[in-house]
Amino acid sequence: MAMTLASAAWIFRVASQEAGQGEGSSLPSTQVSADSLRFRGDAWFLPDEELLGFVEVPAGPFLMGSDPDLDPLAFGNEHWADTGGRASVDVPTFYIGRYETTVAQFRAFVEETGYRGDPAAAAGRGDQPVSAVSWTDALSYARWMDAQLRASPDVPAQLVRVLGEGWQITLPTEVQWEKAARGSDGRIYPWGDEPRPDRANFMSGGVEPVGNRPCPECPYGLADMAGNVWEWTRTPFEATPYDLEAAPRDLREDALWVMRGGSFADQAQNVRTAVRGGADPGARRPFIGFRLAISPP
Amino acid sequence: MASTSSRRSRSARRQEARRAAVTSPSAGASPSRHLWVPISFTLGLVAISFVGRVRDNPVLVWSFWASAGALVAWQLRLFLRMREELTMPAFSTVLRAQHYLQACLQLSVLVYWGWYWRPVYEYAWLLVAQILFAYAFGILLAWSRRRPYVLGFGAFPIVLSTNLFLWFRDDWFYLQFVMIAVGFLGKEFVRWNREGRLVHIFNPSAFSLGLFSVVLIAANATDLTRGQEIASTLSMAPRIYTFLFVIGLIAMYKFSITLVSGLAAIVLFGWSAAYFTATGVPYFIDSEIPTAVFLGLHLLVTDPSTSPRTPLGKALFGILYGVSVFALYSGLDAFGAPRFYDKLLAVPFLNLSVQRIDRVAGAIQSTRWWSRIRPAWPPARLNLAHMAVWIPFFVLMTATGRTDGRHTGHSVPFWQQACAEGRRNACERLIEVEYVYCADNSGWACNEVGRHLAEGRIVDPDPELSRAYFALACEARFQSGCLNLLEPDGFVAAPPRTLDLRLLLREGKATLTAMPEPELYDRACDHRWVFACDALAIR
């Protein structure tokens, strides 16, 4: 099957990057050092943390999308149709992976289930983000991880509770992803309003181990929300940002799914928190990966 | 047919060849004198292993080298034995129309079919390799049996006929060489006395095809071959039935096999029509006679050496082939085996029944009433009379859309409706049709298969497999498949997209990539896709 990366619908704007930008955040932040990063071989290579690498993102509104007056690099598809700029979106509590899913984690899934995807996905360094995974591969992994955590007696009590209440391990929605990436203050990049190569892996030659570039300013202590690999979401790619009230799309149209965050191969403009990429759900590319979320029913 | 005098001269030539079989060498002659012939064929085989098509797959390369190695070892052993026994290998040359004409007809099918399904042409080197192997194997077998090798075109129909029905996949290709070898061994060792002569029982290619079919089915290893693909892609060549009919006429005329082929076809056409009348669904999914069966009844079952000789015997043989294929199609289905083996399994059993058929025919022919109704015509004229019946019959079948035309079973909505109405086997056929289109990369079809597997109404529920099909649908960019994968509570469906229609409406032929959209929707409406008719009405 021809798997072409769908047009990302970016409308590139030649504009100055000297827009007014504010720094700082009122959100909780946890510094992550690559040196301290450990994974549990006895727990599907999930991070050796209290919640196995999942971080709670509390309920509340955040500013989604881009205002071209504040962010001249913004693409047209980041604007809300009715306002032409940003909108406040209220998001219920959810959990999201601190790191992108790694090769070791995905390899554990492949080895246990015999899953047949692109062999390149399970190859490579274990601590690097998995790539060459399609949207369907990512969902299969999420479903498997959901089943593993439900069945394991050795899961943190908080996760047991939420899973028992019907929450599901899956991909984040586009809204969840953007809130996790930029917090509630409308910042352009996860760390602020200026591009910083010391905070994220972009415009480089390849992927890096997850959490390799510490980002103390990033909301919720998440790593690699900009760059490294694009991340699949479970939101269909629409012409305007995700709208909870929108009518279902025409099912006869070809499927495209939103991916976020940009990759190591992208310019600073594409690793902004509001950038929306759309890709063919079967695309397996070396710059597309994912991270998990735990969503309420 | 050959005249009596020419038959006698051929027989004399054969006996002469036998006398010259393995003789004492003249002074200074060495057994190696003729060994260059099988060595050349073996070297040819090795040379082909360096062709790109072979080199691309290491298993394929090893298959070639292992086969060549086995032939070299055999040649060496033979050489040592001949030197010890002071004997010399010998050749004779006999060109039989039965061989070269069959080879031409089979080759023409491959060329025509390959024009529309390119893997056939890509397979050409592998075919040449098998022919080289067959010659080397045949020569060594004859010399090992201390008789001269009769050089001619005999290897061609064995190899070509085998390859019209079964190819092992590249990773298992060494079995293709084994299959050819088995054909020769069957011809050499499985013999009986027929009318005072020791002759082979089985059509060599049908023997190996039949034997391998049984083993593959028993071992549940049918996916090692591309048999199913071969059978289904034959119909990609436009007017393939007409093509096979025309080349069949040549074989019918030359070898007087009209009664075998014609009656087999008539039985199958008749039975298909009766079944449809009784059940409201076609017996064979998308044809009155599957293309590969139609090919088989012209080129596989008609070997004059292994079929009855009398007209009545031939008639019974043809009828039994038709009945066997019909029965095996259902029988294999009941065992969960691929149905395409029907045409292959029938032939060896019929070959085995030839003497009995001849006896029954002889008994009937000796009755008084038979001599009263039998036309006192010479065989050639009688054959022409049979052809005179067969030709209009085929024309009639074609004119009524029962060969190359669109078949009821090509319409997916037909199967959907038949399934909903609970017609016999309709739901099984519906999902089978959808599996085929899903394999062709129709996202719509994959989503439908996923829904059936999830809902468990017409197949046993299998949530995991269902998700795998939704994933295939999604990867084919069929949005419903993605949504079903994401939210497994309550499944969504949508009509086929234009891309899907190009697959779903191909009617067994190549994908309709170039068909303009209005024409495509027109055809979709003909296939009873309601959404397409609605779209046309709006336009």
Side-chain angles (χ1 to χ4, degrees):
Chain A
M1 181 174 62
M3 296 289 184
T4 52
L5 183 64
S7 62
W10 288 277
I11 302 169
F12 289 96
R13 283 189 173 186
V14 182
S16 154
Q17 296 189 19
E18 296 168 2
Q21 290 159 1
E23 290 287 335
S25 166
S26 58
L27 291 164
S29 173
T30 308
Q31 181 170 352
V32 178
S33 156
D35 297 337
S36 66
L37 182 51
R38 295 282 181 275
F39 295 99
R40 285 182 55 183
D42 62 339
W44 313 283
F45 296 94
L46 292 174
D48 188 8
E49 295 179 10
E50 192 186 339
L51 292 181
L52 297 174
F54 287 102
V55 175
E56 182 178 345
V57 179
F62 83 109
L63 287 171
M64 188 175 182
S66 293
D67 183 338
D69 293 334
L70 300 174
D71 181 5
L73 296 179
F75 297 116
N77 71 350
E78 297 165 18
H79 309 155
W80 289 82
D82 48 352
T83 65
R86 297 185 292 189
S88 178
V89 179
D90 201 8
V91 186
T93 302
F94 65 98
Y95 294 79
I96 193 163
R98 188 186 306 281
Y99 307 106
E100 290 162 334
T101 299
T102 65
V103 169
Q105 289 159 8
F106 195 77
R107 189 155 51 212
F109 158 63
V110 170
E111 284 172 358
E112 186 171 316
T113 61
Y115 187 82
R116 293 166 79 177
D118 186 338
R125 272 185 62 162
D127 58 356
Q128 287 184 341
V130 67
S131 60
V133 283
S134 66
W135 186 81
T136 56
D137 296 337
L139 269 185
S140 297
Y141 173 80
R143 193 185 304 277
W144 173 78
M145 183 50 70
D146 185 275
Q148 301 308 305
L149 291 183
R150 284 179 198 280
S152 171
D154 192 24
V155 171
Q158 194 175 344
L159 293 186
V160 171
R161 182 179 56 77
V162 295
L163 290 174
E165 288 170 2
W167 292 46
Q168 278 195 326
I169 296 180
T170 180
L171 296 176
T173 63
E174 183 180 17
V175 179
Q176 288 171 335
W177 192 96
E178 189 168 331
K179 178 175 181 186
R182 73 195 312 186
S184 55
D185 57 6
R187 60 183 65 179
I188 295 171
Y189 296 94
W191 50 83
D193 290 345
E194 292 288 348
R196 286 183 60 176
D198 61 324
R199 290 289 180 259
N201 174 25
F202 60 97
M203 291 175 69
S204 76
V207 291
E208 289 178 355
V210 296
N212 196 44
R213 302 196 189 198
C215 182
E217 305 88 353
C218 290
Y220 314 110
L222 304 184
D224 302 313
M225 292 301 278
N228 224 10
V229 286
W230 284 93
E231 296 176 16
W232 287 115
T233 72
R234 59 189 176 99
T235 301
F237 188 83
E238 303 282 357
T240 53
Y242 183 72
D243 181 356
L244 289 170
E245 306 302 320
R249 59 182 284 139
D250 184 350
L251 293 179
R252 277 173 298 187
E253 282 179 24
D254 278 355
L256 285 179
W257 290 81
V258 171
M259 56 179 191
R260 292 298 207 112
S263 78
F264 63 87
D266 285 293
Q267 303 283 324
Q269 188 180 20
N270 286 345
V271 299
R272 291 173 311 107
T273 54
V275 165
R276 312 174 68 232
D280 177 335
R284 293 180 173 88
R285 297 287 181 271
F287 46 82
I288 305 179
F290 66 96
R291 78 175 67 214
L292 295 179
I294 307 179
S295 288
Chain B
M1 270 309 262
S3 68
T4 317
S5 63
S6 71
R7 213 179 293 142
R8 209 174 292 133
S9 75
R10 262 187 229 155
S11 165
R13 275 206 301 274
R14 252 179 253 141
Q15 282 181 7
E16 200 177 299
R18 243 177 236 127
R19 275 200 298 278
V22 181
T23 60
S24 296
S26 56
S30 154
S32 61
R33 194 174 131 199
H34 288 315
L35 273 177
W36 65 268
V37 181
I39 287 172
S40 305
F41 286 122
T42 311
L43 287 176
L45 191 61
V46 174
I48 293 176
S49 74
F50 292 100
V51 168
R53 169 69 177 83
V54 180
R55 270 173 45 206
D56 287 348
N57 185 318
V59 181
L60 205 49
V61 174
W62 279 108
S63 303
F64 272 61
W65 289 358
S67 309
L71 291 172
V72 167
W74 194 357
Q75 282 157 43
L76 202 62
R77 189 158 178 268
L78 197 61
F79 172 76
L80 294 174
R81 193 192 79 185
M82 287 180 159
R83 201 171 63 170
E84 195 181 304
E85 293 176 356
L86 296 174
T87 52
M88 275 204 30
F91 279 107
S92 67
T93 307
V94 178
L95 303 180
R96 292 183 189 142
Q98 184 182 327
H99 293 156
Y100 63 74
L101 196 62
Q102 284 271 22
C104 288
L105 299 179
Q106 288 158 346
L107 204 58
S108 70
V109 175
L110 286 165
V111 169
Y112 184 62
W113 168 36
W115 187 260
Y116 296 96
W117 194 57
R118 287 294 153 152
V120 178
Y121 289 175
E122 289 157 16
Y123 187 74
W125 279 114
L126 305 189
L127 207 53
V128 174
Q130 289 175 69
I131 290 169
L132 294 175
F133 176 83
Y135 271 105
F137 191 93
I139 292 169
L140 294 174
L141 184 63
W143 289 349
S144 296
R145 302 271 291 158
R146 295 183 170 78
R147 48 177 191 79
Y149 179 69
V150 183
L151 188 62
F153 289 98
F156 275 82
I158 295 177
V159 172
L160 297 180
S161 176
T162 304
N163 283 271
L164 278 170
F165 296 95
L166 214 58
W167 305 349
F168 275 92
R169 295 184 187 281
D170 286 2
D171 286 346
W172 300 89
F173 196 76
Y174 54 89
L175 291 173
Q176 193 81 21
F177 290 120
V178 177
M179 196 157 63
I180 300 299
V182 167
F184 276 90
L185 292 171
K187 188 180 176 194
E188 184 70 30
F189 293 106
V190 188
R191 292 176 162 252
W192 61 11
N193 194 313
R194 188 175 168 200
E195 296 166 14
R197 287 178 55 209
L198 196 63
V199 293
H200 56 278
I201 302 174
F202 297 106
N203 172 336
S205 48
F207 175 68
S208 55
L209 285 168
L211 195 64
F212 272 73
S213 300
V214 170
V215 172
L216 288 168
I217 291 169
N220 196 21
T222 52
D223 57 348
L224 303 188
T225 76
R226 299 179 71 177
Q228 184 70 58
E229 207 178 342
I230 290 170
S232 60
T233 56
L234 264 171
S235 60
M236 287 175 78
R239 303 223 157 264
I240 184 70
Y241 286 93
T242 308
F243 181 86
L244 294 174
F245 165 74
V246 170
I247 64 160
L249 288 180
I250 301 169
M252 285 174 175
Y253 176 73
K254 192 71 189 167
F255 307 122
S256 298
I257 54 161
T258 315
L259 279 175
V260 178
S261 305
L263 276 173
I266 288 167
V267 165
L268 286 164
F269 274 121
W271 220 310
S272 284
Y275 186 89
F276 188 84
T277 307
T279 64
V281 292
Y283 185 73
F284 301 110
I285 291 185
D286 56 1
S287 58
E288 299 297 302
I289 303 180
T291 328
V293 173
F294 199 65
L295 171 70
L297 61 85
H298 280 102
L299 293 180
L300 187 65
V301 77
T302 49
D303 174 13
S305 314
T306 54
S307 51
R309 303 240 156 86
T310 61
L312 185 58
K314 286 177 185 177
L316 290 172
F317 196 72
I319 291 168
L320 282 174
Y321 182 68
V323 172
S324 308
V325 167
F326 210 80
L328 280 165
Y329 187 80
S330 284
L332 288 167
D333 202 21
F335 280 104
R339 291 184 302 245
F340 103 96
Y341 288 101
D342 54 356
K343 67 202 80 59
L344 306 183
L345 289 173
V347 187
F349 290 108
L350 289 174
N351 289 154
L352 263 182
S353 316
V354 160
Q355 298 223 48
R356 191 159 295 176
I357 292 170
D358 272 340
R359 275 201 295 277
V360 171
I364 295 171
Q365 283 167 347
S366 63
T367 57
R368 202 173 295 161
W369 65 267
W370 177 261
S371 53
R372 250 184 273 144
I373 60 165
R374 178 185 170 276
W377 290 346
R381 190 173 171 196
L382 201 56
N383 184 50
L384 282 175
H386 297 145
M387 287 178 74
V389 176
W390 165 240
I391 292 169
F393 179 80
F394 180 83
V395 171
L396 180 69
M397 290 296 106
T398 301
T400 52
R402 291 169 194 282
T403 59
D404 288 309
R406 184 161 77 81
H407 189 266
T408 311
H410 285 137
S411 161
V412 178
F414 166 80
W415 288 112
Q416 287 176 324
Q417 192 185 336
C419 175
E421 290 171 1
R423 287 189 227 163
R424 187 182 166 84
N425 289 337
C427 293
E428 289 86 340
R429 296 292 161 84
L430 169 64
I431 198 156
E432 198 174 321
V433 166
E434 289 170 349
Y435 273 126
V436 170
Y437 288 124
C438 175
D440 283 352
N441 213 14
S442 160
W444 175 86
C446 296
N447 189 55
E448 289 302 299
V449 173
R451 283 202 314 136
H452 294 316
L453 288 165
E455 290 165 354
R457 279 205 297 267
I458 65 171
V459 281
D460 293 336
D462 186 337
E464 200 173 325
L465 193 58
S466 152
R467 280 196 292 273
Y469 276 95
F470 287 142
L472 286 173
C474 179
E475 292 194 3
R477 302 175 70 170
F478 194 72
Q479 186 69 298
S480 299
C482 301
L483 297 177
N484 288 332
L485 199 60
L486 199 58
E487 304 291 349
D489 315 320
F491 301 102
V492 294
R497 301 162 300 174
T498 304
L499 182 69
D500 296 304
L501 289 179
R502 294 190 189 283
L503 297 164
L504 299 173
L505 305 176
R506 64 185 174 85
E507 297 173 1
K509 308 290 188 297
T511 306
L512 305 167
T513 43
M515 183 175 273
E517 216 167 296
E519 203 178 320
L520 199 65
Y521 272 70
D522 213 29
R523 186 187 275 219
C525 188
D526 280 349
H527 276 239
R528 300 195 226 165
W529 285 105
V530 176
F531 81 95
C533 301
D534 292 347
L536 286 172
I538 290 167
R539 282 176 196 178

